[in-house]
Amino acid sequence: MARLISLVIGAGFVFVLALALFFTAKDAIQNPAAETAEHEFHEHPRDAHLSSAGLVGKFDRAQLQRGLKVFQEVCAACHSLKYVSFRDFEHLGYSEGQVKALAQAWPIEQPTVNEETGEAATRKNVPSDRVPSPYPNEVAARAANNNALPPDLSLMTKARHDGGNYVYSLLTGYRAQPAALLAKFPDAKTPPGLHYNPYFPNLNLAMPAPLTSDGQVTFDDGTKSTVDQMAKDVAAFLTWTAEPNLESRHAAGVAAIIFLVIFVFLTWGAYQNVWRNVKH
């Protein structure tokens, strides 16, 4: 009896789910969602061809150093890297002394308290410090950016789909709204204070284009600093901040694949050896 009741309850549950699926599909067919500007004009990120991409990708240390300089001179005015310490930059090829000098020359100093007066103060950065935010708190950050909060960029390329390519595309994607968009969606005009960018999910974002002209940053290695080059370099740098162990992870993955291939051949050989005298 208990088994019969269980079957009836289970059948009823399946029937209700089937009805829900049917009516949901029917409603979606009869009343399709209205087309939106975001759906039609949003573009997928372009390929930045970063050296870290792919199954065996590796970081280009020279590119990471250039990306750090772009972040330092352009992005650090609004964004922080709260999960990155200055001493982590030694992994980019800098010596201990260079990291110390870099920390002290950073445009944003560390917040502290004056021991004599108890008032807020700042001090030079040291290698053990995290890369500081340019704002003391979220309220100050919003007040300085038309109520938009500049996000921390430490993990940005992990937080966005196709992160490195997304950052590169976003930084080079600012443009005027296409006439076709305004003709089809006249209410989708970019509001005052926002900026059109087809790589941003809702097409409009508060951040103005940070990379505005070639030569905005001077690279130490002599690389020509075009807008496209600066965008690629800072995208590569933010890929590193989000996953500094990417190279070792790739190496471990390749080693695991090689081991599995060898193990398969050894297993096949053992099988052939054990069963070689057995007639089928």
Side-chain angles (χ1 to χ4, degrees):
M1 186 65 181
R3 185 176 181 181
L4 178 60
I5 294 175
S6 299
L7 289 173
V8 171
I9 293 175
F13 182 72
V14 171
F15 177 72
V16 171
L17 285 178
L19 281 179
L21 179 61
F22 171 76
F23 285 111
T24 300
K26 180 181 177 182
D27 183 66
I29 294 172
Q30 294 179 343
N31 304 295
E35 291 185 346
T36 63
E38 292 86 350
H39 180 267
E40 186 166 339
F41 288 88
H42 175 65
E43 297 182 18
H44 294 289
R46 296 181 294 123
D47 191 353
H49 301 290
L50 300 180
S51 62
S52 58
L55 296 177
V56 293
K58 292 185 178 182
F59 289 119
D60 179 343
R61 293 297 186 278
Q63 184 175 51
L64 295 183
Q65 291 184 13
R66 294 195 302 269
L68 170 58
K69 190 161 190 181
V70 175
F71 182 89
Q72 179 183 10
E73 297 186 13
V74 179
C75 309
C78 297
H79 299 278
S80 62
L81 291 175
K82 65 181 179 181
Y83 297 116
V84 180
S85 298
F86 286 101
R87 61 188 173 193
D88 293 332
F89 295 151
E90 290 185 24
H91 298 296
L92 305 186
Y94 292 110
S95 66
E96 184 177 343
Q98 288 175 314
V99 168
K100 184 176 181 180
L102 178 64
Q104 292 183 341
W106 198 259
I108 310 299
E109 296 186 340
Q110 287 288 331
T112 185
V113 175
N114 188 310
E115 295 181 357
E116 297 180 358
T117 64
E119 296 180 348
T122 60
R123 63 166 175 79
K124 293 288 186 180
N125 296 287
V126 297
S128 59
D129 288 328
R130 300 288 181 91
V131 177
S133 169
Y135 307 106
N137 51 54
E138 181 179 331
V139 174
R142 290 187 181 278
N145 292 278
N146 195 27
N147 203 38
L149 180 64
D152 178 84
L153 297 183
S154 306
L155 305 175
M156 182 55 65
T157 59
K158 297 292 286 184
R160 298 291 184 270
H161 172 66
D162 203 9
N165 292 332
Y166 167 80
V167 170
Y168 163 70
S169 300
L170 188 76
L171 292 176
T172 57
Y174 289 88
R175 64 191 68 165
Q177 278 189 301
L181 184 153
L182 295 176
K184 189 170 184 178
F185 303 99
D187 294 336
K189 183 176 177 60
T190 297
L194 298 183
H195 307 272
Y196 179 77
N197 193 314
Y199 298 102
F200 195 67
N202 68 0
L203 306 181
N204 303 297
L205 72 165
M207 180 179 73
L211 302 175
T212 56
S213 61
D214 295 347
Q216 193 170 341
V217 174
T218 301
F219 292 135
D220 298 331
D221 63 0
T223 300
K224 188 176 181 180
S225 57
T226 62
V227 169
D228 189 79
Q229 185 65 55
M230 289 185 288
K232 286 182 180 179
D233 292 344
V234 77
F237 172 70
L238 293 177
T239 300
W240 173 81
T241 64
E243 194 168 6
N245 297 320
L246 178 141
E247 290 176 325
S248 59
R249 180 173 63 80
H250 283 179
V254 171
I257 291 174
I258 293 174
F259 169 79
L260 290 173
V261 171
I262 294 174
F263 180 76
V264 167
F265 278 102
L266 289 175
T267 303
W268 180 80
Y271 169 81
Q272 293 294 321
N273 185 62
V274 170
W275 296 96
R276 66 181 184 276
N277 296 321
V278 177
K279 293 184 179 180
H280 296 286

